[in-house]
Amino acid sequence: SLVIIIVVLVAGYFLLKSNLGTKRGGETAGKTETIYTDLANAVTKVPAGFPSVIPVEEGNVKESYKINYFDEGVTQYTVGFNSALSSDEIWKTYSDLFLAAGFASDTEKTNKDKGVMTGYRDGNKLNVAISDYDGGHYVTINFIQRLVSVE
């Protein structure tokens, strides 16, 4: 299950890079900034700017950060947390969110058996990965927000 989380994070990175392409002139982007949430002292356990409509079990957050990709005009928000809910309950929570918030599900990348769902809205991307972990589940959310159009 930890392997699944790592695979999802690595895949998310490469998907982000493949979806963004290159800058004008063929140069690849290079300027990034990673900001980790201070989980011990933060009032809220999600990174600043993380959409409030995306449900998170804040009391169970284990990882929380955002990465600004300045050259691409994109910010990636990542939150991971433990959950005692069943995988079906978690799946329903995020399926309901996709419908209510207007995310178009990517049927090629969404697979309930593998616990992975991906959707798009307004040029933004939402990935949710659910894996078995320590008698419960671990949920990893990646929200990729396009801040500007890159040609």
Side-chain angles (χ1 to χ4, degrees), residues 38-91:
D38 179 359
L39 295 176
N41 299 308
V43 173
T44 180
K45 304 296 184 192
V46 297
F50 186 85
S52 61
V53 299
I54 301 175
V56 172
E57 294 179 32
E58 283 203 46
N60 297 323
V61 171
K62 301 300 178 196
E63 63 177 327
S64 176
Y65 59 90
K66 72 178 181 179
I67 304 173
N68 295 311
Y69 296 90
F70 295 110
D71 291 344
E72 295 94 349
V74 169
T75 299
Q76 173 185 333
Y77 299 90
T78 299
V79 177
F81 59 91
N82 293 334
S83 179
L85 297 175
S86 72
S87 59
D88 285 339
E89 290 170 313
I90 297 167
W91 187 268

Side-chain angles (χ1 to χ4, degrees), residues 1-30:
S1 59
L2 183 57
V3 172
I4 292 172
I5 294 168
I6 292 169
V7 168
V8 168
L9 290 176
V10 170
Y13 172 79
F14 285 109
L15 285 171
L16 174 65
K17 289 298 183 187
S18 69
N19 286 340
L20 295 176
T22 59
K23 286 180 42 179
R24 289 180 202 138
E27 296 175 22
T28 56

Side-chain angles (χ1 to χ4, degrees), residues 133-148:
Y133 180 76
D134 199 23
H137 295 89
Y138 193 82
V139 180
T140 304
I141 300 169
N142 285 301
F143 179 72
I144 300 170
Q145 181 179 32
R146 184 172 299 281
L147 304 173
V148 295

